[in-house]
Short mmCIF file of all heavy atoms in Angstrom, two decimals:
data_model
loop_
_atom_site.label_atom_id
_atom_site.label_comp_id
_atom_site.label_asym_id
_atom_site.label_seq_id
_atom_site.Cartn_x
_atom_site.Cartn_y
_atom_site.Cartn_z
N MET F 1 -26.52 -14.83 -3.91
CA MET F 1 -25.27 -15.48 -4.24
C MET F 1 -24.16 -14.42 -4.29
O MET F 1 -24.37 -13.33 -4.80
CB MET F 1 -25.37 -16.19 -5.59
CG MET F 1 -24.04 -16.77 -6.01
SD MET F 1 -24.04 -17.81 -7.47
CE MET F 1 -24.29 -16.64 -8.76
N ILE F 2 -23.01 -14.78 -3.77
CA ILE F 2 -21.83 -13.92 -3.82
C ILE F 2 -20.81 -14.60 -4.71
O ILE F 2 -20.53 -15.79 -4.57
CB ILE F 2 -21.23 -13.72 -2.41
CG1 ILE F 2 -22.23 -12.99 -1.52
CG2 ILE F 2 -19.91 -12.96 -2.49
CD1 ILE F 2 -21.82 -12.88 -0.09
N LYS F 3 -20.25 -13.86 -5.66
CA LYS F 3 -19.23 -14.38 -6.56
C LYS F 3 -17.93 -13.66 -6.27
O LYS F 3 -17.88 -12.42 -6.28
CB LYS F 3 -19.64 -14.20 -8.02
CG LYS F 3 -18.65 -14.78 -8.98
CD LYS F 3 -19.13 -14.66 -10.41
CE LYS F 3 -18.12 -15.26 -11.36
NZ LYS F 3 -18.58 -15.18 -12.74
N ILE F 4 -16.86 -14.42 -5.99
CA ILE F 4 -15.54 -13.85 -5.70
C ILE F 4 -14.60 -14.28 -6.81
O ILE F 4 -14.27 -15.46 -6.93
CB ILE F 4 -15.03 -14.32 -4.33
CG1 ILE F 4 -16.03 -13.92 -3.24
CG2 ILE F 4 -13.65 -13.74 -4.04
CD1 ILE F 4 -15.72 -14.48 -1.87
N GLY F 5 -14.17 -13.37 -7.63
CA GLY F 5 -13.32 -13.68 -8.78
C GLY F 5 -11.86 -13.44 -8.48
O GLY F 5 -11.35 -12.36 -8.77
N VAL F 6 -11.19 -14.43 -7.91
CA VAL F 6 -9.77 -14.28 -7.55
C VAL F 6 -8.88 -15.32 -8.24
O VAL F 6 -7.69 -15.33 -8.02
CB VAL F 6 -9.56 -14.35 -6.02
CG1 VAL F 6 -10.20 -13.18 -5.33
CG2 VAL F 6 -10.06 -15.66 -5.46
N MET F 7 -9.47 -16.17 -9.06
CA MET F 7 -8.70 -17.25 -9.67
C MET F 7 -8.35 -16.94 -11.12
O MET F 7 -9.06 -16.20 -11.80
CB MET F 7 -9.49 -18.56 -9.61
CG MET F 7 -9.71 -19.04 -8.19
SD MET F 7 -10.72 -20.52 -8.11
CE MET F 7 -9.73 -21.68 -9.04
N ASN F 8 -7.27 -17.52 -11.57
CA ASN F 8 -6.88 -17.51 -12.97
C ASN F 8 -6.94 -18.95 -13.48
O ASN F 8 -6.96 -19.90 -12.69
CB ASN F 8 -5.45 -16.97 -13.13
CG ASN F 8 -5.32 -15.55 -12.63
OD1 ASN F 8 -6.11 -14.69 -12.98
ND2 ASN F 8 -4.35 -15.32 -11.77
N LYS F 9 -6.93 -19.12 -14.78
CA LYS F 9 -6.97 -20.46 -15.35
C LYS F 9 -5.77 -21.27 -14.85
O LYS F 9 -4.64 -20.79 -14.87
CB LYS F 9 -6.95 -20.39 -16.87
CG LYS F 9 -7.23 -21.71 -17.53
CD LYS F 9 -7.41 -21.55 -19.02
CE LYS F 9 -7.81 -22.90 -19.58
NZ LYS F 9 -8.29 -22.78 -20.94
N GLY F 10 -6.03 -22.46 -14.34
CA GLY F 10 -4.97 -23.31 -13.81
C GLY F 10 -4.80 -23.21 -12.30
O GLY F 10 -4.07 -23.99 -11.72
N ASP F 11 -5.49 -22.26 -11.65
CA ASP F 11 -5.42 -22.11 -10.19
C ASP F 11 -6.35 -23.13 -9.53
O ASP F 11 -7.25 -23.68 -10.16
CB ASP F 11 -5.84 -20.71 -9.77
CG ASP F 11 -4.86 -19.64 -10.20
OD1 ASP F 11 -3.75 -20.00 -10.64
OD2 ASP F 11 -5.21 -18.45 -10.10
N GLU F 12 -6.14 -23.34 -8.21
CA GLU F 12 -6.94 -24.30 -7.46
C GLU F 12 -7.26 -23.73 -6.08
O GLU F 12 -6.38 -23.18 -5.42
CB GLU F 12 -6.14 -25.60 -7.31
CG GLU F 12 -6.78 -26.64 -6.47
CD GLU F 12 -5.88 -27.86 -6.26
OE1 GLU F 12 -4.75 -27.89 -6.80
OE2 GLU F 12 -6.31 -28.77 -5.55
N VAL F 13 -8.50 -23.87 -5.65
CA VAL F 13 -8.88 -23.46 -4.31
C VAL F 13 -8.41 -24.52 -3.32
O VAL F 13 -8.75 -25.69 -3.46
CB VAL F 13 -10.41 -23.26 -4.19
CG1 VAL F 13 -10.79 -22.94 -2.76
CG2 VAL F 13 -10.89 -22.17 -5.12
N LEU F 14 -7.62 -24.11 -2.32
CA LEU F 14 -7.17 -25.03 -1.28
C LEU F 14 -8.10 -25.01 -0.08
O LEU F 14 -8.24 -26.02 0.61
CB LEU F 14 -5.75 -24.68 -0.83
CG LEU F 14 -4.66 -24.83 -1.88
CD1 LEU F 14 -3.33 -24.42 -1.30
CD2 LEU F 14 -4.61 -26.26 -2.39
N GLY F 15 -8.69 -23.87 0.20
CA GLY F 15 -9.57 -23.77 1.34
C GLY F 15 -10.25 -22.42 1.41
O GLY F 15 -9.78 -21.43 0.87
N VAL F 16 -11.41 -22.42 2.09
CA VAL F 16 -12.17 -21.20 2.30
C VAL F 16 -12.64 -21.20 3.75
O VAL F 16 -13.15 -22.20 4.25
CB VAL F 16 -13.40 -21.14 1.36
CG1 VAL F 16 -14.22 -19.89 1.62
CG2 VAL F 16 -12.99 -21.22 -0.10
N THR F 17 -12.43 -20.08 4.43
CA THR F 17 -12.96 -19.91 5.79
C THR F 17 -13.79 -18.63 5.80
O THR F 17 -13.94 -17.97 4.77
CB THR F 17 -11.83 -19.80 6.84
OG1 THR F 17 -11.17 -18.53 6.68
CG2 THR F 17 -10.83 -20.93 6.72
N ASN F 18 -14.28 -18.26 6.96
CA ASN F 18 -15.02 -17.00 7.08
C ASN F 18 -14.12 -15.79 6.88
O ASN F 18 -14.61 -14.71 6.61
CB ASN F 18 -15.67 -16.90 8.47
CG ASN F 18 -16.88 -17.77 8.57
OD1 ASN F 18 -17.55 -18.06 7.59
ND2 ASN F 18 -17.18 -18.22 9.77
N ASP F 19 -12.80 -15.99 7.03
CA ASP F 19 -11.87 -14.86 6.98
C ASP F 19 -10.98 -14.79 5.76
O ASP F 19 -10.48 -13.72 5.42
CB ASP F 19 -10.97 -14.90 8.23
CG ASP F 19 -11.78 -14.81 9.51
OD1 ASP F 19 -12.72 -13.99 9.57
OD2 ASP F 19 -11.49 -15.58 10.44
N PHE F 20 -10.74 -15.91 5.09
CA PHE F 20 -9.81 -15.88 3.96
C PHE F 20 -10.10 -17.00 2.97
O PHE F 20 -10.82 -17.94 3.25
CB PHE F 20 -8.35 -15.96 4.43
CG PHE F 20 -7.98 -17.31 5.01
CD1 PHE F 20 -7.56 -18.34 4.19
CD2 PHE F 20 -8.03 -17.53 6.37
CE1 PHE F 20 -7.22 -19.57 4.71
CE2 PHE F 20 -7.69 -18.75 6.90
CZ PHE F 20 -7.28 -19.78 6.07
N ILE F 21 -9.47 -16.85 1.80
CA ILE F 21 -9.49 -17.87 0.75
C ILE F 21 -8.04 -18.23 0.46
O ILE F 21 -7.20 -17.34 0.35
CB ILE F 21 -10.15 -17.34 -0.54
CG1 ILE F 21 -11.57 -16.87 -0.26
CG2 ILE F 21 -10.13 -18.38 -1.64
CD1 ILE F 21 -12.17 -16.06 -1.39
N ALA F 22 -7.73 -19.52 0.34
CA ALA F 22 -6.37 -19.97 -0.01
C ALA F 22 -6.42 -20.50 -1.43
O ALA F 22 -7.17 -21.43 -1.74
CB ALA F 22 -5.89 -21.03 0.96
N ILE F 23 -5.61 -19.90 -2.31
CA ILE F 23 -5.57 -20.27 -3.72
C ILE F 23 -4.17 -20.74 -4.08
O ILE F 23 -3.20 -20.01 -3.86
CB ILE F 23 -5.92 -19.06 -4.63
CG1 ILE F 23 -7.28 -18.48 -4.28
CG2 ILE F 23 -5.83 -19.44 -6.10
CD1 ILE F 23 -8.46 -19.30 -4.71
N ARG F 24 -4.05 -21.96 -4.64
CA ARG F 24 -2.77 -22.41 -5.19
C ARG F 24 -2.71 -21.93 -6.63
O ARG F 24 -3.55 -22.27 -7.45
CB ARG F 24 -2.63 -23.93 -5.16
CG ARG F 24 -1.26 -24.36 -5.76
CD ARG F 24 -1.08 -25.86 -5.82
NE ARG F 24 -1.10 -26.41 -4.48
CZ ARG F 24 -1.74 -27.54 -4.17
NH1 ARG F 24 -2.41 -28.22 -5.07
NH2 ARG F 24 -1.71 -27.99 -2.93
N ARG F 25 -1.72 -21.12 -6.91
CA ARG F 25 -1.54 -20.57 -8.25
C ARG F 25 -0.91 -21.62 -9.17
O ARG F 25 -0.28 -22.57 -8.72
CB ARG F 25 -0.69 -19.30 -8.22
CG ARG F 25 -1.29 -18.19 -7.37
CD ARG F 25 -2.61 -17.74 -7.90
NE ARG F 25 -3.19 -16.65 -7.09
CZ ARG F 25 -4.36 -16.14 -7.30
NH1 ARG F 25 -5.13 -16.60 -8.29
NH2 ARG F 25 -4.82 -15.18 -6.54
N ARG F 26 -1.08 -21.43 -10.44
CA ARG F 26 -0.59 -22.39 -11.45
C ARG F 26 0.90 -22.66 -11.30
O ARG F 26 1.36 -23.78 -11.52
CB ARG F 26 -0.91 -21.84 -12.84
CG ARG F 26 -0.49 -22.74 -13.97
CD ARG F 26 -0.91 -22.21 -15.30
NE ARG F 26 -0.62 -20.77 -15.40
CZ ARG F 26 -0.99 -20.02 -16.40
NH1 ARG F 26 -1.67 -20.52 -17.40
NH2 ARG F 26 -0.69 -18.74 -16.43
N LYS F 27 1.67 -21.68 -10.88
CA LYS F 27 3.12 -21.85 -10.74
C LYS F 27 3.50 -22.59 -9.45
O LYS F 27 4.67 -22.88 -9.23
CB LYS F 27 3.82 -20.50 -10.77
CG LYS F 27 3.73 -19.81 -12.12
CD LYS F 27 4.46 -18.50 -12.09
CE LYS F 27 4.37 -17.80 -13.43
NZ LYS F 27 5.07 -16.51 -13.42
N GLY F 28 2.51 -22.85 -8.55
CA GLY F 28 2.79 -23.60 -7.34
C GLY F 28 2.76 -22.79 -6.06
O GLY F 28 2.67 -23.36 -4.97
N ASP F 29 2.87 -21.45 -6.14
CA ASP F 29 2.80 -20.66 -4.92
C ASP F 29 1.35 -20.55 -4.46
O ASP F 29 0.42 -20.85 -5.21
CB ASP F 29 3.44 -19.28 -5.10
CG ASP F 29 2.88 -18.49 -6.28
OD1 ASP F 29 2.36 -19.11 -7.22
OD2 ASP F 29 2.97 -17.26 -6.25
N VAL F 30 1.14 -20.14 -3.22
CA VAL F 30 -0.19 -20.07 -2.63
C VAL F 30 -0.45 -18.64 -2.16
O VAL F 30 0.40 -18.03 -1.50
CB VAL F 30 -0.32 -21.05 -1.44
CG1 VAL F 30 -1.66 -20.88 -0.74
CG2 VAL F 30 -0.14 -22.48 -1.91
N ASP F 31 -1.61 -18.11 -2.50
CA ASP F 31 -2.04 -16.81 -2.00
C ASP F 31 -3.09 -17.01 -0.92
O ASP F 31 -4.07 -17.74 -1.12
CB ASP F 31 -2.65 -15.95 -3.11
CG ASP F 31 -1.61 -15.36 -4.05
OD1 ASP F 31 -0.44 -15.29 -3.66
OD2 ASP F 31 -1.99 -14.95 -5.16
N ILE F 32 -2.88 -16.37 0.24
CA ILE F 32 -3.87 -16.31 1.30
C ILE F 32 -4.54 -14.95 1.16
O ILE F 32 -3.90 -13.92 1.36
CB ILE F 32 -3.23 -16.46 2.70
CG1 ILE F 32 -2.36 -17.72 2.77
CG2 ILE F 32 -4.29 -16.44 3.78
CD1 ILE F 32 -3.10 -19.02 2.58
N ILE F 33 -5.82 -14.96 0.78
CA ILE F 33 -6.52 -13.73 0.43
C ILE F 33 -7.56 -13.41 1.51
O ILE F 33 -8.57 -14.11 1.62
CB ILE F 33 -7.19 -13.88 -0.95
CG1 ILE F 33 -6.14 -14.25 -1.99
CG2 ILE F 33 -7.94 -12.61 -1.32
CD1 ILE F 33 -6.71 -14.66 -3.33
N PRO F 34 -7.32 -12.36 2.31
CA PRO F 34 -8.26 -11.99 3.36
C PRO F 34 -9.52 -11.35 2.79
O PRO F 34 -9.46 -10.62 1.79
CB PRO F 34 -7.51 -10.99 4.22
CG PRO F 34 -6.11 -10.96 3.71
CD PRO F 34 -6.11 -11.55 2.36
N LEU F 35 -10.66 -11.61 3.44
CA LEU F 35 -11.93 -11.02 3.04
C LEU F 35 -12.32 -9.92 4.03
O LEU F 35 -12.15 -10.08 5.24
CB LEU F 35 -13.02 -12.08 3.03
CG LEU F 35 -12.84 -13.23 2.06
CD1 LEU F 35 -13.92 -14.28 2.29
CD2 LEU F 35 -12.86 -12.74 0.63
N LEU F 36 -12.85 -8.83 3.50
CA LEU F 36 -13.41 -7.76 4.34
C LEU F 36 -14.92 -7.87 4.23
O LEU F 36 -15.50 -7.57 3.19
CB LEU F 36 -12.94 -6.39 3.85
CG LEU F 36 -11.45 -6.11 3.95
CD1 LEU F 36 -11.11 -4.78 3.29
CD2 LEU F 36 -11.01 -6.10 5.40
N LYS F 37 -15.56 -8.32 5.31
CA LYS F 37 -17.00 -8.54 5.28
C LYS F 37 -17.77 -7.47 6.03
O LYS F 37 -18.98 -7.51 6.10
CB LYS F 37 -17.32 -9.92 5.85
CG LYS F 37 -16.69 -11.05 5.04
CD LYS F 37 -17.12 -12.40 5.52
CE LYS F 37 -16.66 -12.61 6.93
NZ LYS F 37 -16.98 -13.91 7.47
N ASP F 38 -17.07 -6.48 6.59
CA ASP F 38 -17.72 -5.40 7.34
C ASP F 38 -18.36 -4.38 6.41
O ASP F 38 -19.05 -3.48 6.87
CB ASP F 38 -16.72 -4.70 8.26
CG ASP F 38 -16.19 -5.63 9.33
OD1 ASP F 38 -16.85 -6.64 9.62
OD2 ASP F 38 -15.11 -5.35 9.87
N CYS F 39 -18.09 -4.48 5.13
CA CYS F 39 -18.63 -3.53 4.16
C CYS F 39 -19.54 -4.28 3.19
O CYS F 39 -19.52 -5.49 3.11
CB CYS F 39 -17.49 -2.84 3.41
SG CYS F 39 -16.25 -3.99 2.81
N PHE F 40 -20.33 -3.53 2.46
CA PHE F 40 -21.19 -4.15 1.46
C PHE F 40 -20.95 -3.45 0.14
O PHE F 40 -21.02 -2.22 0.08
CB PHE F 40 -22.67 -4.04 1.83
CG PHE F 40 -23.55 -4.74 0.84
CD1 PHE F 40 -23.71 -6.11 0.90
CD2 PHE F 40 -24.17 -4.03 -0.17
CE1 PHE F 40 -24.52 -6.76 -0.02
CE2 PHE F 40 -24.97 -4.68 -1.09
CZ PHE F 40 -25.14 -6.05 -1.01
N PRO F 41 -20.65 -4.13 -0.92
CA PRO F 41 -20.43 -5.58 -0.97
C PRO F 41 -19.09 -5.96 -0.35
O PRO F 41 -18.24 -5.11 -0.15
CB PRO F 41 -20.44 -5.90 -2.46
CG PRO F 41 -19.98 -4.64 -3.12
CD PRO F 41 -20.46 -3.52 -2.23
N TRP F 42 -18.92 -7.25 -0.05
CA TRP F 42 -17.66 -7.73 0.51
C TRP F 42 -16.51 -7.32 -0.40
O TRP F 42 -16.68 -7.14 -1.60
CB TRP F 42 -17.66 -9.25 0.61
CG TRP F 42 -18.55 -9.81 1.66
CD1 TRP F 42 -19.40 -9.13 2.48
CD2 TRP F 42 -18.69 -11.18 1.99
NE1 TRP F 42 -20.06 -10.00 3.30
CE2 TRP F 42 -19.65 -11.27 3.02
CE3 TRP F 42 -18.10 -12.34 1.52
CZ2 TRP F 42 -20.01 -12.47 3.58
CZ3 TRP F 42 -18.48 -13.54 2.08
CH2 TRP F 42 -19.42 -13.61 3.10
N GLN F 43 -15.33 -7.20 0.20
CA GLN F 43 -14.15 -6.81 -0.57
C GLN F 43 -12.97 -7.71 -0.23
O GLN F 43 -12.96 -8.37 0.81
CB GLN F 43 -13.77 -5.36 -0.27
CG GLN F 43 -14.83 -4.37 -0.68
CD GLN F 43 -14.44 -2.96 -0.30
OE1 GLN F 43 -13.35 -2.69 0.17
NE2 GLN F 43 -15.35 -2.03 -0.52
N ILE F 44 -12.00 -7.71 -1.11
CA ILE F 44 -10.73 -8.39 -0.87
C ILE F 44 -9.81 -7.38 -0.18
O ILE F 44 -9.69 -6.23 -0.62
CB ILE F 44 -10.08 -8.85 -2.20
CG1 ILE F 44 -11.01 -9.79 -2.96
CG2 ILE F 44 -8.72 -9.45 -1.97
CD1 ILE F 44 -11.30 -11.09 -2.26
N ASP F 45 -9.16 -7.80 0.89
CA ASP F 45 -8.22 -6.94 1.61
C ASP F 45 -6.87 -7.00 0.87
O ASP F 45 -5.96 -7.73 1.26
CB ASP F 45 -8.09 -7.42 3.05
CG ASP F 45 -7.23 -6.52 3.90
OD1 ASP F 45 -6.71 -5.51 3.38
OD2 ASP F 45 -7.06 -6.83 5.09
N THR F 46 -6.77 -6.24 -0.20
CA THR F 46 -5.59 -6.31 -1.08
C THR F 46 -4.30 -5.90 -0.38
O THR F 46 -3.22 -6.32 -0.79
CB THR F 46 -5.79 -5.43 -2.33
OG1 THR F 46 -6.08 -4.09 -1.94
CG2 THR F 46 -6.93 -5.97 -3.19
N ALA F 47 -4.38 -5.11 0.67
CA ALA F 47 -3.18 -4.67 1.38
C ALA F 47 -2.58 -5.78 2.24
O ALA F 47 -1.43 -5.67 2.66
CB ALA F 47 -3.49 -3.47 2.26
N ASN F 48 -3.34 -6.85 2.48
CA ASN F 48 -2.86 -7.90 3.39
C ASN F 48 -2.85 -9.29 2.78
O ASN F 48 -2.89 -10.29 3.51
CB ASN F 48 -3.69 -7.88 4.68
CG ASN F 48 -3.42 -6.64 5.49
OD1 ASN F 48 -2.28 -6.38 5.86
ND2 ASN F 48 -4.44 -5.86 5.74
N ILE F 49 -2.79 -9.38 1.46
CA ILE F 49 -2.66 -10.68 0.81
C ILE F 49 -1.27 -11.24 1.12
O ILE F 49 -0.27 -10.53 1.03
CB ILE F 49 -2.87 -10.58 -0.71
CG1 ILE F 49 -4.31 -10.18 -1.01
CG2 ILE F 49 -2.52 -11.90 -1.40
CD1 ILE F 49 -4.59 -9.92 -2.47
N ILE F 50 -1.22 -12.51 1.50
CA ILE F 50 0.06 -13.17 1.79
C ILE F 50 0.34 -14.16 0.67
O ILE F 50 -0.51 -14.97 0.33
CB ILE F 50 0.00 -13.91 3.15
CG1 ILE F 50 -0.24 -12.90 4.28
CG2 ILE F 50 1.27 -14.71 3.38
CD1 ILE F 50 -0.50 -13.55 5.61
N ASN F 51 1.53 -14.09 0.10
CA ASN F 51 1.95 -15.02 -0.94
C ASN F 51 3.00 -15.95 -0.35
O ASN F 51 4.02 -15.50 0.15
CB ASN F 51 2.52 -14.27 -2.15
CG ASN F 51 3.02 -15.22 -3.20
OD1 ASN F 51 4.19 -15.58 -3.21
ND2 ASN F 51 2.13 -15.63 -4.08
N ILE F 52 2.72 -17.25 -0.40
CA ILE F 52 3.65 -18.25 0.08
C ILE F 52 4.26 -18.92 -1.13
O ILE F 52 3.55 -19.53 -1.93
CB ILE F 52 2.93 -19.29 0.97
CG1 ILE F 52 2.25 -18.58 2.14
CG2 ILE F 52 3.92 -20.35 1.45
CD1 ILE F 52 1.30 -19.45 2.91
N GLY F 53 5.57 -18.77 -1.28
CA GLY F 53 6.24 -19.30 -2.46
C GLY F 53 7.56 -19.93 -2.11
O GLY F 53 7.91 -20.12 -0.95
N TYR F 54 8.31 -20.23 -3.13
CA TYR F 54 9.60 -20.86 -2.98
C TYR F 54 10.64 -19.81 -2.61
O TYR F 54 10.57 -18.67 -3.05
CB TYR F 54 10.00 -21.57 -4.27
CG TYR F 54 8.99 -22.62 -4.67
CD1 TYR F 54 8.04 -22.36 -5.63
CD2 TYR F 54 8.99 -23.86 -4.04
CE1 TYR F 54 7.10 -23.32 -5.98
CE2 TYR F 54 8.05 -24.82 -4.37
CZ TYR F 54 7.11 -24.54 -5.35
OH TYR F 54 6.18 -25.50 -5.68
N GLY F 55 11.60 -20.19 -1.77
CA GLY F 55 12.64 -19.26 -1.35
C GLY F 55 13.54 -19.88 -0.32
O GLY F 55 13.47 -21.06 -0.03
N LYS F 56 14.38 -19.05 0.26
CA LYS F 56 15.38 -19.51 1.24
C LYS F 56 15.06 -18.94 2.62
O LYS F 56 15.90 -18.32 3.25
CB LYS F 56 16.77 -19.11 0.78
CG LYS F 56 17.13 -19.74 -0.55
CD LYS F 56 18.57 -19.50 -0.89
CE LYS F 56 18.88 -20.03 -2.27
NZ LYS F 56 19.40 -21.34 -2.31
N ASN F 57 13.81 -19.15 3.07
CA ASN F 57 13.36 -18.72 4.40
C ASN F 57 13.50 -17.22 4.62
O ASN F 57 13.90 -16.78 5.70
CB ASN F 57 14.09 -19.50 5.50
CG ASN F 57 13.83 -20.98 5.39
OD1 ASN F 57 12.73 -21.39 5.02
ND2 ASN F 57 14.82 -21.79 5.70
N ILE F 58 13.19 -16.44 3.61
CA ILE F 58 13.23 -14.99 3.70
C ILE F 58 11.79 -14.47 3.57
O ILE F 58 11.05 -14.89 2.71
CB ILE F 58 14.11 -14.38 2.59
CG1 ILE F 58 15.55 -14.82 2.76
CG2 ILE F 58 14.01 -12.86 2.59
CD1 ILE F 58 16.46 -14.40 1.63
N VAL F 59 11.43 -13.54 4.46
CA VAL F 59 10.12 -12.90 4.40
C VAL F 59 10.32 -11.50 3.85
O VAL F 59 11.14 -10.74 4.36
CB VAL F 59 9.46 -12.84 5.79
CG1 VAL F 59 8.15 -12.09 5.73
CG2 VAL F 59 9.27 -14.24 6.35
N THR F 60 9.58 -11.14 2.80
CA THR F 60 9.67 -9.82 2.20
C THR F 60 8.30 -9.17 2.26
O THR F 60 7.30 -9.80 1.96
CB THR F 60 10.12 -9.90 0.73
OG1 THR F 60 11.37 -10.59 0.67
CG2 THR F 60 10.29 -8.53 0.12
N MET F 61 8.28 -7.91 2.67
CA MET F 61 7.02 -7.17 2.76
C MET F 61 7.17 -5.87 2.01
O MET F 61 8.19 -5.18 2.14
CB MET F 61 6.70 -6.89 4.23
CG MET F 61 5.41 -6.20 4.46
SD MET F 61 5.13 -6.14 6.24
CE MET F 61 4.26 -4.62 6.36
N GLU F 62 6.17 -5.55 1.19
CA GLU F 62 6.20 -4.31 0.44
C GLU F 62 5.33 -3.28 1.16
O GLU F 62 4.18 -3.56 1.48
CB GLU F 62 5.68 -4.54 -0.98
CG GLU F 62 6.03 -3.44 -1.93
CD GLU F 62 5.72 -3.82 -3.36
OE1 GLU F 62 6.47 -4.64 -3.92
OE2 GLU F 62 4.73 -3.30 -3.88
N THR F 63 5.88 -2.10 1.43
CA THR F 63 5.14 -1.05 2.12
C THR F 63 4.22 -0.33 1.14
O THR F 63 4.27 -0.57 -0.06
CB THR F 63 6.10 -0.05 2.78
OG1 THR F 63 6.84 0.61 1.76
CG2 THR F 63 7.04 -0.73 3.75
N GLU F 64 3.39 0.56 1.67
CA GLU F 64 2.44 1.29 0.84
C GLU F 64 3.12 2.12 -0.24
O GLU F 64 2.56 2.32 -1.30
CB GLU F 64 1.57 2.20 1.71
CG GLU F 64 0.59 1.44 2.57
CD GLU F 64 -0.24 2.36 3.44
OE1 GLU F 64 -0.20 3.59 3.24
OE2 GLU F 64 -0.92 1.84 4.33
N ASP F 65 4.34 2.59 0.02
CA ASP F 65 5.05 3.38 -0.99
C ASP F 65 6.00 2.50 -1.81
O ASP F 65 6.96 2.98 -2.38
CB ASP F 65 5.80 4.55 -0.35
CG ASP F 65 6.69 4.13 0.81
OD1 ASP F 65 6.64 2.97 1.22
OD2 ASP F 65 7.45 4.99 1.28
N GLU F 66 5.68 1.20 -1.87
CA GLU F 66 6.36 0.21 -2.71
C GLU F 66 7.83 -0.02 -2.38
O GLU F 66 8.64 -0.33 -3.23
CB GLU F 66 6.18 0.57 -4.19
CG GLU F 66 4.73 0.55 -4.62
CD GLU F 66 4.53 0.83 -6.09
OE1 GLU F 66 5.53 0.84 -6.84
OE2 GLU F 66 3.39 1.03 -6.47
N VAL F 67 8.19 0.14 -1.10
CA VAL F 67 9.53 -0.17 -0.62
C VAL F 67 9.50 -1.59 -0.09
O VAL F 67 8.62 -1.96 0.69
CB VAL F 67 9.97 0.81 0.48
CG1 VAL F 67 11.31 0.39 1.06
CG2 VAL F 67 10.03 2.22 -0.06
N SER F 68 10.44 -2.44 -0.50
CA SER F 68 10.49 -3.82 -0.03
C SER F 68 11.39 -3.92 1.19
O SER F 68 12.51 -3.41 1.18
CB SER F 68 11.03 -4.74 -1.14
OG SER F 68 10.09 -4.83 -2.18
N VAL F 69 10.88 -4.60 2.22
CA VAL F 69 11.64 -4.84 3.46
C VAL F 69 11.76 -6.34 3.61
O VAL F 69 10.77 -7.06 3.51
CB VAL F 69 10.90 -4.23 4.67
CG1 VAL F 69 11.68 -4.48 5.94
CG2 VAL F 69 10.64 -2.74 4.47
N SER F 70 12.98 -6.85 3.84
CA SER F 70 13.20 -8.29 3.94
C SER F 70 13.81 -8.66 5.29
O SER F 70 14.50 -7.85 5.90
CB SER F 70 14.15 -8.77 2.84
OG SER F 70 13.59 -8.56 1.56
N SER F 71 13.54 -9.91 5.70
CA SER F 71 14.20 -10.44 6.89
C SER F 71 15.12 -11.56 6.44
O SER F 71 14.90 -12.20 5.43
CB SER F 71 13.17 -10.97 7.89
OG SER F 71 12.52 -12.10 7.35
N PHE F 72 16.14 -11.82 7.20
CA PHE F 72 17.12 -12.85 6.84
C PHE F 72 17.14 -13.92 7.88
O PHE F 72 16.94 -13.77 9.00
CB PHE F 72 18.52 -12.25 6.69
CG PHE F 72 18.57 -11.20 5.61
CD1 PHE F 72 18.41 -9.87 5.92
CD2 PHE F 72 18.75 -11.57 4.29
CE1 PHE F 72 18.47 -8.89 4.93
CE2 PHE F 72 18.80 -10.61 3.30
CZ PHE F 72 18.66 -9.27 3.62
#
C-alpha cells in the first residue's frame, strides 16, 4: 500500500491519474500535484505543483530563487 499525505482537513480529492493528483482546497482553489514515480519511494514533484485559484486571468510563476514572474 502507498499512502500519499497531501490533504488538509476540509480538502477534497477531485481526481487521480498515473501522473498527478487534483485536490480542491478548503478555500476553493485547486492544486494539481505531480507525482514522481521514477524513484523509490514515490515523491511529490514540489517544484511543479500548479495552483488554480481566483484571479483576473493572470499567471504567476515563482522561480527557484523565489522571484515571482507574472503574465498579463
Side-chain angles (χ1 to χ4, degrees):
M1 175 173 72
I2 296 173
K3 182 176 180 179
I4 302 173
V6 294
M7 295 177 61
N8 299 310
K9 190 171 185 167
D11 292 349
E12 175 185 359
V13 176
L14 295 179
V16 178
T17 71
N18 284 332
D19 300 317
F20 69 86
I21 302 168
I23 304 286
R24 179 182 298 138
R25 300 298 181 184
R26 181 176 45 187
K27 293 181 180 180
D29 54 335
V30 174
D31 284 341
I32 307 297
I33 303 170
L35 298 173
L36 295 174
K37 298 185 297 182
D38 296 339
C39 47
F40 183 80
W42 289 3
Q43 297 177 5
I44 301 296
D45 185 0
T46 56
N48 291 302
I49 294 175
I50 298 172
N51 178 267
I52 302 169
Y54 301 100
K56 299 188 185 266
N57 299 324
I58 296 174
V59 176
T60 303
M61 183 173 148
E62 196 170 287
T63 64
E64 290 179 10
D65 52 352
E66 298 183 10
V67 174
S68 292
V69 179
S70 297
S71 67
F72 299 95

